[in-house]
């Protein structure tokens, strides 16, 4: 029985992102999924700006932007009459520190396809039709049991197997929250010839119900969303093409439109649940296996991808035997509060949608979510120093590291996000006064850190955007984590060395 560093159970966006993060850092990873073939369902259909930043680091954002669309106005109808066309992000513009001003509409199956392609570039593929039924763990690793009786040994196991997670149940953690059986929605993918594909159609009626058709880029399909038909006891009827057609005809009041070619039909119920723990020993949970959300805002897929981004570099250090004491504990420390916040936000958004459809002048666009991924200021990894560089009210340890345009050593344009794509920590030294310290730290921690002297040979902050984004006015050292959050702001090279020594059991070179 061979042993891998990490076994990932579930090959949705969360599991695939985690597999890439581990593979690009040299960890041995095996990823399995119970499904016999990849699905082709739109499901969670939006990537938020912060997730695009994450996926740029992972290596798929350019492909996602080419596949999806960033501009799709909302067209609202009320009792059959056209009310308005709106684009809540019409005035949004990219800035030097935030290059993605809006999200991208893209089917979940397309996101997964892009992630599988990226993972294959590291020589790893998903093992489909492979179901994990249980596991045992000891001090040295985890032994997973497959449905066919095979046993897989790994150093760590991560459950990314969705809301009905078998891994979560086997861990014995709580999954607190509620399931609102009375609040449900039918969703699916259908074709509808004769309906324009340049807007997201939303038909609402004075009784408070409605139906929406969202054109999915790169396909002939629309994602269908509506309140379900109910039986005599008030239970949702099973979704079918015929019921979708009846719902559409009743709300849209557009004659001659026939829904065809259903590739996904489902009933979605309001679930608001999260675990009380995301780690038990060598077993972790991420994505929907750890937290499930109301559909509004598209927060589920985005939160899961960001879970994986947080865990990947930490788990990679652990598999290399270099994780400092408590580093793996910071995954739960940082992500569990985010899950709780997201559940509160997505529940509020869903309530706003239900209220918005009752008013002719508002609609689903009222549920535009707030920014995600702003940071982990509360984390034990967000070390404060007495010699903090910059204004702590503008940028502090734990915050998302901003982007900025610079010039590389040869004078070519380069963005900080491109610099941060290296899987190591990144050290920026602002000013010639700290250039020698930057060079020394780079040499001592070469396997853990890449370092750049800004305005002293390595990078040129030619327009001052980097200094403004990081609040730097004097010579300063900025240490950025592998998941592009600020680790440290300081003027003292000893602070950097102390931080790195705490994070990793890494012996500096003499």
């Amino acid at each position: 029985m061979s042993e891998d560093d990490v076994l990932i159970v579930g090959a949705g966006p969360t599991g695939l992102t985690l597999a890439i993060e581990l593979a690009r850092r040299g960890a041995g990873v095996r990823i399995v999924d119970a499904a016999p073939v990849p699905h082709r369902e739109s499901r969670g259909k939006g990537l938020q700006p912060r997730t695009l930043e994450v996926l740029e680091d992972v290596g798929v954002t350019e492909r996602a932007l080419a596949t999806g669309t960033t501009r799709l106005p909302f067209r609202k109808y009320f009792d059959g009459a056209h009310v308005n066309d709106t684009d809540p992000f019409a005035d949004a513009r990219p800035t030097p520190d935030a290059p993605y001003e809006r999200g991208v509409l893209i089917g979940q199956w397309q996101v997964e396809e892009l992630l599988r392609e990226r993972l294959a570039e590291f020589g790893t593929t998903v093992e489909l039709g492979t179901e994990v039924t249980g596991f045992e763990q000891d001090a040295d690793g985890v032994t997973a049991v497959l449905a066919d009786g095979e046993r897989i040994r790994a150093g760590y196991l991560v459950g990314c197997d969705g809301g009905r997670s078998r891994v979560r149940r086997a861990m014995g953690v709580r999954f607190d929250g509620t399931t609102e059986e009375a609040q449900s929605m039918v969703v699916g993918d259908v074709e509808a010839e004769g309906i324009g594909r340049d807007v997201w159609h939303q038909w609402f009626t004075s009784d408070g119900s409605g139906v929406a058709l969202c054109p999915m880029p790169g396909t002939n399909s629309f994602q269908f969303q509506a309140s379900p038909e109910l039986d005599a006891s008030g239970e949702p009827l099973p979704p079918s093409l015929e019921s979708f057609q009846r719902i559409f005809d009743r709300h849209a009041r557009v004659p001659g439109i026939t829904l065809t070619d259903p590739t996904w039909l489902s009933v979605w119920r309001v679930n608001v649940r999260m675990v009380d723990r995301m780690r038990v020993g060598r077993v972790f949970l991420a994505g929907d296996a750890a937290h499930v959300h109301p559909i509004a805002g598209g927060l589920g897929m985005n939160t899961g991808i960001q879970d994986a981004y947080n865990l990947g570099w930490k788990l990679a250090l652990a598999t290399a035997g270099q994780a400092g004491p408590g580093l793996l504990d910071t995954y739960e420390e940082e992500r569990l509060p985010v899950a709780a916040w997201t559940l509160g936000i997505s529940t509020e958004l869903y309530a706003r949608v239900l209220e918005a459809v009752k008013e002719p002048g508002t609609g689903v666009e009222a549920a535009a979510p707030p920014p995600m991924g702003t940071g982990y200021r509360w984390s034990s990894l967000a070390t404060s120093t007495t010699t903090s560089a910059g204004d702590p009210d503008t940028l502090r340890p734990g915050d998302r590291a901003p982007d900025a345009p610079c010039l590389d050593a040869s004078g070519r344009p380069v963005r900080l996000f491109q610099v941060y794509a290296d899987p190591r920590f990144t050290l920026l030294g602002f000013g010639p006064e700290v250039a020698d310290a930057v060079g020394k730290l780079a040499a001592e921690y070469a396997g853990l850190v890449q370092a750049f002297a800004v305005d002293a040979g390595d990078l040129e902050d030619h327009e001052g955007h980097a200094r403004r984004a990081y609040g730097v006015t004097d010579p300063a050292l900025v240490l950025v984590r592998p998941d592009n959050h600020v680790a440290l702001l300081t003027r003292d090279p000893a602070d950097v060395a102390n931080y790195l020594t705490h994070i990793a059991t890494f012996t500096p070179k003499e």
Side-chain angles (χ1 to χ4, degrees), residues 278-306:
M278 297 179 79
R279 177 192 183 190
V280 174
R282 289 175 170 266
V283 182
F284 299 80
L285 294 171
D288 286 352
H291 40 75
V292 291
H293 315 263
I295 199 170
L299 300 182
M301 177 168 64
N302 289 272
T303 308
I305 289 172
Q306 294 181 37

PDB file of all heavy atoms in Angstrom, residues 278-306:
ATOM      1  N   MET A 278     -12.928  22.406  11.654  1.00  0.00           N
ATOM      2  CA  MET A 278     -12.525  22.104  10.281  1.00  0.00           C
ATOM      3  C   MET A 278     -11.328  21.154  10.240  1.00  0.00           C
ATOM      4  O   MET A 278     -10.840  20.807   9.171  1.00  0.00           O
ATOM      5  CB  MET A 278     -12.194  23.399   9.527  1.00  0.00           C
ATOM      6  CG  MET A 278     -13.381  24.332   9.395  1.00  0.00           C
ATOM      7  SD  MET A 278     -13.017  25.891   8.546  1.00  0.00           S
ATOM      8  CE  MET A 278     -13.029  25.359   6.831  1.00  0.00           C
ATOM      9  N   ARG A 279     -10.884  20.735  11.424  1.00  0.00           N
ATOM     10  CA  ARG A 279      -9.757  19.809  11.503  1.00  0.00           C
ATOM     11  C   ARG A 279      -9.933  18.882  12.689  1.00  0.00           C
ATOM     12  O   ARG A 279     -10.286  19.317  13.783  1.00  0.00           O
ATOM     13  CB  ARG A 279      -8.444  20.569  11.649  1.00  0.00           C
ATOM     14  CG  ARG A 279      -7.235  19.643  11.809  1.00  0.00           C
ATOM     15  CD  ARG A 279      -5.988  20.372  12.250  1.00  0.00           C
ATOM     16  NE  ARG A 279      -4.851  19.463  12.322  1.00  0.00           N
ATOM     17  CZ  ARG A 279      -3.671  19.776  12.852  1.00  0.00           C
ATOM     18  NH1 ARG A 279      -3.478  20.992  13.354  1.00  0.00           N
ATOM     19  NH2 ARG A 279      -2.696  18.889  12.878  1.00  0.00           N
ATOM     20  N   VAL A 280      -9.694  17.595  12.461  1.00  0.00           N
ATOM     21  CA  VAL A 280      -9.573  16.610  13.530  1.00  0.00           C
ATOM     22  C   VAL A 280      -8.317  15.810  13.232  1.00  0.00           C
ATOM     23  O   VAL A 280      -8.291  14.987  12.309  1.00  0.00           O
ATOM     24  CB  VAL A 280     -10.797  15.687  13.608  1.00  0.00           C
ATOM     25  CG1 VAL A 280     -10.559  14.591  14.645  1.00  0.00           C
ATOM     26  CG2 VAL A 280     -12.054  16.473  13.946  1.00  0.00           C
ATOM     27  N   GLY A 281      -7.253  16.085  13.953  1.00  0.00           N
ATOM     28  CA  GLY A 281      -5.991  15.397  13.723  1.00  0.00           C
ATOM     29  C   GLY A 281      -5.437  15.679  12.342  1.00  0.00           C
ATOM     30  O   GLY A 281      -5.145  16.822  11.986  1.00  0.00           O
ATOM     31  N   ARG A 282      -5.321  14.637  11.533  1.00  0.00           N
ATOM     32  CA  ARG A 282      -4.763  14.748  10.187  1.00  0.00           C
ATOM     33  C   ARG A 282      -5.842  14.844   9.115  1.00  0.00           C
ATOM     34  O   ARG A 282      -5.546  14.699   7.927  1.00  0.00           O
ATOM     35  CB  ARG A 282      -3.849  13.554   9.910  1.00  0.00           C
ATOM     36  CG  ARG A 282      -2.542  13.587  10.705  1.00  0.00           C
ATOM     37  CD  ARG A 282      -1.718  12.344  10.491  1.00  0.00           C
ATOM     38  NE  ARG A 282      -0.378  12.496  11.059  1.00  0.00           N
ATOM     39  CZ  ARG A 282       0.684  12.908  10.374  1.00  0.00           C
ATOM     40  NH1 ARG A 282       0.570  13.194   9.078  1.00  0.00           N
ATOM     41  NH2 ARG A 282       1.848  13.021  10.961  1.00  0.00           N
ATOM     42  N   VAL A 283      -7.063  15.092   9.518  1.00  0.00           N
ATOM     43  CA  VAL A 283      -8.184  15.170   8.576  1.00  0.00           C
ATOM     44  C   VAL A 283      -8.780  16.568   8.624  1.00  0.00           C
ATOM     45  O   VAL A 283      -9.046  17.114   9.701  1.00  0.00           O
ATOM     46  CB  VAL A 283      -9.247  14.106   8.900  1.00  0.00           C
ATOM     47  CG1 VAL A 283     -10.379  14.157   7.889  1.00  0.00           C
ATOM     48  CG2 VAL A 283      -8.625  12.706   8.922  1.00  0.00           C
ATOM     49  N   PHE A 284      -9.022  17.142   7.437  1.00  0.00           N
ATOM     50  CA  PHE A 284      -9.524  18.512   7.303  1.00  0.00           C
ATOM     51  C   PHE A 284     -10.799  18.508   6.457  1.00  0.00           C
ATOM     52  O   PHE A 284     -11.047  17.588   5.678  1.00  0.00           O
ATOM     53  CB  PHE A 284      -8.483  19.409   6.626  1.00  0.00           C
ATOM     54  CG  PHE A 284      -7.190  19.544   7.372  1.00  0.00           C
ATOM     55  CD1 PHE A 284      -6.220  18.547   7.303  1.00  0.00           C
ATOM     56  CD2 PHE A 284      -6.940  20.664   8.146  1.00  0.00           C
ATOM     57  CE1 PHE A 284      -5.026  18.660   7.986  1.00  0.00           C
ATOM     58  CE2 PHE A 284      -5.735  20.787   8.836  1.00  0.00           C
ATOM     59  CZ  PHE A 284      -4.775  19.781   8.759  1.00  0.00           C
ATOM     60  N   LEU A 285     -11.556  19.578   6.588  1.00  0.00           N
ATOM     61  CA  LEU A 285     -12.736  19.811   5.748  1.00  0.00           C
ATOM     62  C   LEU A 285     -12.588  21.153   5.048  1.00  0.00           C
ATOM     63  O   LEU A 285     -12.015  22.098   5.604  1.00  0.00           O
ATOM     64  CB  LEU A 285     -14.014  19.829   6.596  1.00  0.00           C
ATOM     65  CG  LEU A 285     -14.423  18.517   7.262  1.00  0.00           C
ATOM     66  CD1 LEU A 285     -15.570  18.765   8.233  1.00  0.00           C
ATOM     67  CD2 LEU A 285     -14.813  17.470   6.230  1.00  0.00           C
ATOM     68  N   ALA A 286     -13.118  21.235   3.824  1.00  0.00           N
ATOM     69  CA  ALA A 286     -13.086  22.491   3.071  1.00  0.00           C
ATOM     70  C   ALA A 286     -14.314  22.564   2.177  1.00  0.00           C
ATOM     71  O   ALA A 286     -14.885  21.548   1.773  1.00  0.00           O
ATOM     72  CB  ALA A 286     -11.816  22.585   2.235  1.00  0.00           C
ATOM     73  N   GLY A 287     -14.720  23.789   1.852  1.00  0.00           N
ATOM     74  CA  GLY A 287     -15.849  23.989   0.953  1.00  0.00           C
ATOM     75  C   GLY A 287     -17.172  23.590   1.574  1.00  0.00           C
ATOM     76  O   GLY A 287     -17.371  23.699   2.793  1.00  0.00           O
ATOM     77  N   ASP A 288     -18.108  23.103   0.732  1.00  0.00           N
ATOM     78  CA  ASP A 288     -19.442  22.764   1.212  1.00  0.00           C
ATOM     79  C   ASP A 288     -19.428  21.657   2.253  1.00  0.00           C
ATOM     80  O   ASP A 288     -20.402  21.502   2.998  1.00  0.00           O
ATOM     81  CB  ASP A 288     -20.329  22.336   0.039  1.00  0.00           C
ATOM     82  CG  ASP A 288     -20.758  23.508  -0.831  1.00  0.00           C
ATOM     83  OD1 ASP A 288     -20.493  24.668  -0.442  1.00  0.00           O
ATOM     84  OD2 ASP A 288     -21.356  23.274  -1.900  1.00  0.00           O
ATOM     85  N   ALA A 289     -18.386  20.872   2.315  1.00  0.00           N
ATOM     86  CA  ALA A 289     -18.288  19.864   3.371  1.00  0.00           C
ATOM     87  C   ALA A 289     -18.218  20.515   4.745  1.00  0.00           C
ATOM     88  O   ALA A 289     -18.574  19.894   5.751  1.00  0.00           O
ATOM     89  CB  ALA A 289     -17.060  18.985   3.151  1.00  0.00           C
ATOM     90  N   ALA A 290     -17.781  21.774   4.791  1.00  0.00           N
ATOM     91  CA  ALA A 290     -17.628  22.486   6.064  1.00  0.00           C
ATOM     92  C   ALA A 290     -18.702  23.543   6.283  1.00  0.00           C
ATOM     93  O   ALA A 290     -18.967  23.918   7.426  1.00  0.00           O
ATOM     94  CB  ALA A 290     -16.247  23.141   6.133  1.00  0.00           C
ATOM     95  N   HIS A 291     -19.301  24.036   5.213  1.00  0.00           N
ATOM     96  CA  HIS A 291     -20.288  25.110   5.349  1.00  0.00           C
ATOM     97  C   HIS A 291     -21.149  25.167   4.097  1.00  0.00           C
ATOM     98  O   HIS A 291     -20.651  25.098   2.990  1.00  0.00           O
ATOM     99  CB  HIS A 291     -19.598  26.458   5.574  1.00  0.00           C
ATOM    100  CG  HIS A 291     -18.359  26.652   4.742  1.00  0.00           C
ATOM    101  ND1 HIS A 291     -18.392  26.928   3.391  1.00  0.00           N
ATOM    102  CD2 HIS A 291     -17.043  26.589   5.067  1.00  0.00           C
ATOM    103  CE1 HIS A 291     -17.158  27.028   2.925  1.00  0.00           C
ATOM    104  NE2 HIS A 291     -16.315  26.828   3.920  1.00  0.00           N
ATOM    105  N   VAL A 292     -22.462  25.272   4.276  1.00  0.00           N
ATOM    106  CA  VAL A 292     -23.385  25.398   3.144  1.00  0.00           C
ATOM    107  C   VAL A 292     -24.189  26.664   3.319  1.00  0.00           C
ATOM    108  O   VAL A 292     -24.515  27.075   4.431  1.00  0.00           O
ATOM    109  CB  VAL A 292     -24.315  24.178   3.010  1.00  0.00           C
ATOM    110  CG1 VAL A 292     -23.528  22.942   2.587  1.00  0.00           C
ATOM    111  CG2 VAL A 292     -25.081  23.904   4.297  1.00  0.00           C
ATOM    112  N   HIS A 293     -24.525  27.297   2.186  1.00  0.00           N
ATOM    113  CA  HIS A 293     -25.038  28.663   2.182  1.00  0.00           C
ATOM    114  C   HIS A 293     -26.317  28.771   1.357  1.00  0.00           C
ATOM    115  O   HIS A 293     -26.524  27.998   0.422  1.00  0.00           O
ATOM    116  CB  HIS A 293     -24.013  29.617   1.548  1.00  0.00           C
ATOM    117  CG  HIS A 293     -22.619  29.415   2.007  1.00  0.00           C
ATOM    118  ND1 HIS A 293     -22.055  30.161   3.006  1.00  0.00           N
ATOM    119  CD2 HIS A 293     -21.658  28.543   1.622  1.00  0.00           C
ATOM    120  CE1 HIS A 293     -20.816  29.758   3.216  1.00  0.00           C
ATOM    121  NE2 HIS A 293     -20.556  28.776   2.388  1.00  0.00           N
ATOM    122  N   PRO A 294     -27.147  29.780   1.645  1.00  0.00           N
ATOM    123  CA  PRO A 294     -28.182  30.143   0.687  1.00  0.00           C
ATOM    124  C   PRO A 294     -27.556  30.505  -0.649  1.00  0.00           C
ATOM    125  O   PRO A 294     -26.398  30.917  -0.727  1.00  0.00           O
ATOM    126  CB  PRO A 294     -28.862  31.355   1.336  1.00  0.00           C
ATOM    127  CG  PRO A 294     -28.635  31.162   2.800  1.00  0.00           C
ATOM    128  CD  PRO A 294     -27.259  30.552   2.894  1.00  0.00           C
ATOM    129  N   ILE A 295     -28.352  30.372  -1.711  1.00  0.00           N
ATOM    130  CA  ILE A 295     -27.820  30.488  -3.063  1.00  0.00           C
ATOM    131  C   ILE A 295     -27.434  31.919  -3.429  1.00  0.00           C
ATOM    132  O   ILE A 295     -26.601  32.142  -4.311  1.00  0.00           O
ATOM    133  CB  ILE A 295     -28.856  29.929  -4.064  1.00  0.00           C
ATOM    134  CG1 ILE A 295     -28.188  29.601  -5.401  1.00  0.00           C
ATOM    135  CG2 ILE A 295     -30.036  30.870  -4.224  1.00  0.00           C
ATOM    136  CD1 ILE A 295     -29.085  28.828  -6.352  1.00  0.00           C
ATOM    137  N   ALA A 296     -28.029  32.913  -2.762  1.00  0.00           N
ATOM    138  CA  ALA A 296     -27.812  34.302  -3.161  1.00  0.00           C
ATOM    139  C   ALA A 296     -26.356  34.709  -3.023  1.00  0.00           C
ATOM    140  O   ALA A 296     -25.685  34.396  -2.052  1.00  0.00           O
ATOM    141  CB  ALA A 296     -28.681  35.239  -2.305  1.00  0.00           C
ATOM    142  N   GLY A 297     -25.854  35.406  -4.030  1.00  0.00           N
ATOM    143  CA  GLY A 297     -24.501  35.926  -3.988  1.00  0.00           C
ATOM    144  C   GLY A 297     -23.441  34.992  -4.518  1.00  0.00           C
ATOM    145  O   GLY A 297     -22.305  35.396  -4.705  1.00  0.00           O
ATOM    146  N   GLY A 298     -23.783  33.731  -4.766  1.00  0.00           N
ATOM    147  CA  GLY A 298     -22.806  32.784  -5.303  1.00  0.00           C
ATOM    148  C   GLY A 298     -21.614  32.587  -4.387  1.00  0.00           C
ATOM    149  O   GLY A 298     -20.489  32.416  -4.846  1.00  0.00           O
ATOM    150  N   LEU A 299     -21.856  32.573  -3.070  1.00  0.00           N
ATOM    151  CA  LEU A 299     -20.732  32.560  -2.140  1.00  0.00           C
ATOM    152  C   LEU A 299     -20.159  31.165  -1.900  1.00  0.00           C
ATOM    153  O   LEU A 299     -19.029  31.039  -1.439  1.00  0.00           O
ATOM    154  CB  LEU A 299     -21.162  33.180  -0.801  1.00  0.00           C
ATOM    155  CG  LEU A 299     -21.645  34.633  -0.866  1.00  0.00           C
ATOM    156  CD1 LEU A 299     -21.993  35.139   0.522  1.00  0.00           C
ATOM    157  CD2 LEU A 299     -20.602  35.532  -1.502  1.00  0.00           C
ATOM    158  N   GLY A 300     -20.922  30.116  -2.170  1.00  0.00           N
ATOM    159  CA  GLY A 300     -20.461  28.771  -1.840  1.00  0.00           C
ATOM    160  C   GLY A 300     -19.196  28.365  -2.562  1.00  0.00           C
ATOM    161  O   GLY A 300     -18.200  27.988  -1.938  1.00  0.00           O
ATOM    162  N   MET A 301     -19.194  28.418  -3.917  1.00  0.00           N
ATOM    163  CA  MET A 301     -18.017  28.015  -4.678  1.00  0.00           C
ATOM    164  C   MET A 301     -16.839  28.930  -4.367  1.00  0.00           C
ATOM    165  O   MET A 301     -15.696  28.467  -4.221  1.00  0.00           O
ATOM    166  CB  MET A 301     -18.328  28.037  -6.177  1.00  0.00           C
ATOM    167  CG  MET A 301     -17.126  27.697  -7.054  1.00  0.00           C
ATOM    168  SD  MET A 301     -17.521  27.374  -8.782  1.00  0.00           S
ATOM    169  CE  MET A 301     -18.149  28.958  -9.327  1.00  0.00           C
ATOM    170  N   ASN A 302     -17.096  30.217  -4.246  1.00  0.00           N
ATOM    171  CA  ASN A 302     -16.016  31.163  -3.975  1.00  0.00           C
ATOM    172  C   ASN A 302     -15.381  30.917  -2.607  1.00  0.00           C
ATOM    173  O   ASN A 302     -14.154  30.946  -2.464  1.00  0.00           O
ATOM    174  CB  ASN A 302     -16.555  32.593  -4.057  1.00  0.00           C
ATOM    175  CG  ASN A 302     -16.892  33.005  -5.472  1.00  0.00           C
ATOM    176  OD1 ASN A 302     -16.054  33.497  -6.205  1.00  0.00           O
ATOM    177  ND2 ASN A 302     -18.132  32.775  -5.893  1.00  0.00           N
ATOM    178  N   THR A 303     -16.205  30.668  -1.601  1.00  0.00           N
ATOM    179  CA  THR A 303     -15.673  30.417  -0.262  1.00  0.00           C
ATOM    180  C   THR A 303     -14.851  29.141  -0.243  1.00  0.00           C
ATOM    181  O   THR A 303     -13.791  29.075   0.396  1.00  0.00           O
ATOM    182  CB  THR A 303     -16.818  30.330   0.765  1.00  0.00           C
ATOM    183  OG1 THR A 303     -17.658  31.479   0.649  1.00  0.00           O
ATOM    184  CG2 THR A 303     -16.272  30.261   2.178  1.00  0.00           C
ATOM    185  N   GLY A 304     -15.312  28.113  -0.952  1.00  0.00           N
ATOM    186  CA  GLY A 304     -14.576  26.858  -0.993  1.00  0.00           C
ATOM    187  C   GLY A 304     -13.215  27.002  -1.648  1.00  0.00           C
ATOM    188  O   GLY A 304     -12.206  26.451  -1.168  1.00  0.00           O
ATOM    189  N   ILE A 305     -13.156  27.724  -2.754  1.00  0.00           N
ATOM    190  CA  ILE A 305     -11.878  27.950  -3.430  1.00  0.00           C
ATOM    191  C   ILE A 305     -10.921  28.691  -2.499  1.00  0.00           C
ATOM    192  O   ILE A 305      -9.718  28.376  -2.426  1.00  0.00           O
ATOM    193  CB  ILE A 305     -12.095  28.730  -4.741  1.00  0.00           C
ATOM    194  CG1 ILE A 305     -12.769  27.824  -5.782  1.00  0.00           C
ATOM    195  CG2 ILE A 305     -10.785  29.286  -5.285  1.00  0.00           C
ATOM    196  CD1 ILE A 305     -13.201  28.538  -7.049  1.00  0.00           C
ATOM    197  N   GLN A 306     -11.444  29.645  -1.760  1.00  0.00           N
ATOM    198  CA  GLN A 306     -10.586  30.402  -0.856  1.00  0.00           C
ATOM    199  C   GLN A 306     -10.184  29.579   0.368  1.00  0.00           C
ATOM    200  O   GLN A 306      -9.091  29.778   0.922  1.00  0.00           O
ATOM    201  CB  GLN A 306     -11.270  31.709  -0.472  1.00  0.00           C
ATOM    202  CG  GLN A 306     -11.419  32.633  -1.681  1.00  0.00           C
ATOM    203  CD  GLN A 306     -12.065  33.965  -1.367  1.00  0.00           C
ATOM    204  OE1 GLN A 306     -11.837  34.539  -0.310  1.00  0.00           O
ATOM    205  NE2 GLN A 306     -12.879  34.464  -2.278  1.00  0.00           N
TER     206      GLN A 306
END
